[in-house]
Amino acid sequence: MPTTMMTQRAGKLIVISGPSGAGKTTLLKRLFEDCPDLRASVSATTRAPRPGEVDGQDYYFLSREEFERRREAGEFLECFEVFSSGTWYGTLESEVAPSLAGGKSIILEIDVKGTMAIHQRYPDAVTIFVHPCSVTDPEQDLAEIERRLRSRGTESEEAIQSRLAVARRELTLSATYQHQVINDDVERAVRQIREIICSPEV
Ligand code: 5GP
């Protein structure tokens, strides 16, 4: 068959969520080491960079004005004020559409509201929720999230309480995701995510 007649295998859109402190960053770092073909969508945010974070790599760090300008120009697939502190996060269409069109899979690490919006736009998206230690007991998850947030030492008490409140809400919606992963062992969790992503049914 001539190459022009072959249909290119579409890239998969994979959405990963989980409360702050569920260890998603470490998990994804390991996943990308294992799967170099997988792309990460870089989100835009109005929050300040944490020490070591690089603009364009961890996030596009935008001013409120720039974020608003891009929002009004329709550049976001989804965007939300994630913590009720006025911090905005959003997925730029320019991060996602070219990858999928080029047959490359892409991972979005976004919150629950963002996932719902993406799912409406991309019904074939694969959704994965990461729990820190239990799929069935949210209190156990919350205790572990609090322990991890405090040991990270980067958040104020107010930010910790706000993140815990968001985590509680997110955990109640975790069942709306197609797949649940427990991140109490990074290697095992990465293996599980790879199996989900590489499954022929997905
Ligand atoms: P952090 O400030 O710790 O990097 O991220 C906080 C939360 O914002 C994470 O739980 C993450 O899921 C969410 N988030 C990051 N980027 C996006 C995005 O583009 N859209 C949405 N809706 N949430 C995001």
Side-chain angles (χ1 to χ4, degrees):
M1 194 194 297
T3 9
T4 47
M5 284 180 69
M6 285 183 0
T7 35
Q8 185 169 31
R9 182 143 166 56
K12 291 175 192 168
L13 176 55
I14 300 141
V15 185
I16 296 203
S17 302
S20 293
K24 286 167 294 171
T25 311
T26 315
L27 203 63
L28 289 176
K29 196 160 162 268
R30 278 284 298 110
L31 187 68
F32 290 120
E33 280 166 15
D34 277 10
C35 312
D37 278 351
L38 212 49
R39 272 209 60 228
S41 162
V42 178
S43 292
T45 183
T46 60
R47 86 152 161 73
R50 297 197 184 108
E53 284 185 329
V54 178
D55 186 39
Q57 197 173 305
D58 297 287
Y59 281 103
Y60 298 109
F61 294 101
L62 305 182
S63 66
R64 281 296 290 262
E65 294 69 31
E66 178 63 6
F67 198 100
E68 192 53 33
R69 191 193 62 72
R70 292 190 180 206
R71 191 158 81 99
E72 277 170 15
E75 291 184 25
F76 289 106
L77 284 178
E78 60 78 30
C79 66
F80 287 102
E81 196 180 0
V82 173
F83 304 106
S84 40
S85 59
T87 305
W88 285 81
Y89 295 84
T91 306
L92 292 159
E93 186 162 17
S94 57
E95 282 290 301
V96 175
S99 276
L100 296 180
K104 282 217 165 234
S105 294
I106 184 155
I107 292 203
L108 273 57
E109 195 237 296
I110 61 176
D111 79 330
V112 173
K113 278 191 279 186
T115 304
M116 288 176 176
I118 291 287
H119 209 248
Q120 283 202 335
R121 236 163 131 162
Y122 294 93
D124 290 341
V126 180
T127 56
I128 302 174
F129 195 93
V130 179
H131 297 259
C133 56
S134 168
V135 171
T136 51
D137 184 357
E139 292 307 321
Q140 215 179 317
D141 268 350
L142 282 167
E144 179 60 17
I145 290 163
E146 183 167 4
R147 193 190 64 72
R148 291 184 193 177
L149 280 176
R150 291 194 186 285
S151 67
R152 188 155 88 186
T154 53
E155 317 294 330
S156 66
E157 182 59 32
E158 197 191 347
I160 289 177
Q161 291 308 328
S162 160
R163 279 171 189 256
L164 284 173
V166 174
R168 188 175 283 281
R169 266 205 311 280
E170 296 215 329
L171 285 167
T172 62
L173 291 168
S174 62
T176 61
Y177 284 64
Q178 294 152 351
H179 304 277
Q180 313 286 322
V181 169
I182 297 179
N183 186 25
D184 56 354
D185 173 335
V186 174
E187 294 308 315
R188 198 181 52 197
V190 168
R191 243 189 346 265
Q192 205 184 331
I193 293 177
R194 283 185 59 178
E195 278 163 20
I196 294 167
I197 294 174
C198 299
S199 150
E201 291 98 64
V202 163

